[in-house]
Amino acid sequence: MTDSWDEARLIADGFERVHVELEWYDGPRFGLADVESEPHYFQACSYDRTDEPGEYVVWPASDAVAALEREQWALFVEWNARYEAGLTGPETHPGSGGMDARYDELDEALASWRREPSGARRLVGEMRFDDNDRYRVEGLDYWFRWRPSN
């Protein structure tokens, strides 16, 4: 069982919120999280199945871009609630294309921002879980504490 902490403890320990998950494969691979209290994209540098903190490339996202990411995330969270309740099937996932016009529009608008720019930083992200639902509009159940990569 993975330990979990309440949000106040996470914040006090220097962890920052993950707002959007764009890819998960045996751990967070790509998404949007706060880094130094500002929204940043994060992308895993390599695939590692250990429980050790992972190395990520991070780059800033403007407030406007972060708002669009959160809007798309909210569409996913709403779909996921219907899916988990058995009201819809996986074939209706909004990321499948053609399922939700606004989701598709946001995908197109965000595509260029989701590409790693030159000058992106490498940081190590230590992850902890909170004790809330996995997917929720305000973010996920995991948080990162960032430190420089060696």
Side-chain angles (χ1 to χ4, degrees):
M1 169 109 190
T2 302
D3 290 333
S4 64
W5 289 264
D6 68 25
E7 290 186 21
R9 170 82 185 273
L10 288 164
I11 292 167
D13 287 348
F15 285 82
E16 297 185 87
R17 184 178 299 279
V18 176
H19 298 282
V20 173
E21 180 180 272
L22 296 168
E23 184 180 343
W24 174 280
Y25 183 75
D26 286 342
R29 313 277 6 96
F30 186 38
L32 185 77
D34 286 340
V35 176
E36 299 167 351
S37 302
E38 296 292 330
H40 284 66
Y41 284 102
F42 66 89
Q43 187 164 26
C45 294
S46 63
Y47 175 72
D48 183 2
R49 295 184 87 158
T50 70
D51 288 333
E52 295 299 313
E55 188 174 40
Y56 294 86
V57 177
V58 301
W59 62 95
S62 70
D63 289 340
V65 167
L68 294 176
E69 287 288 2
R70 287 183 188 110
E71 179 184 351
Q72 189 182 53
W73 177 250
L75 294 172
F76 166 77
V77 169
E78 291 166 7
W79 170 84
N80 191 67
R82 291 190 308 274
Y83 173 73
E84 288 186 358
L87 301 174
T88 193
E91 71 281 356
T92 65
H93 188 291
S96 299
M99 296 293 131
D100 184 304
R102 181 61 179 157
Y103 193 98
D104 294 346
E105 183 181 308
L106 289 165
D107 249 358
E108 187 174 323
L110 291 164
S112 65
W113 299 103
R114 291 175 174 170
R115 286 193 288 275
E116 177 188 335
S118 61
R121 296 188 294 161
R122 283 184 177 251
L123 297 175
V124 172
E126 178 187 351
M127 188 174 65
R128 279 193 189 165
F129 290 88
D130 67 25
D131 51 10
N132 292 312
D133 293 336
R134 169 97 171 104
Y135 300 126
R136 48 194 192 268
V137 172
E138 66 273 12
L140 287 110
D141 67 341
Y142 58 93
W143 298 55
F144 279 115
R145 178 166 57 191
W146 302 100
R147 63 176 162 80
S149 178
N150 294 337

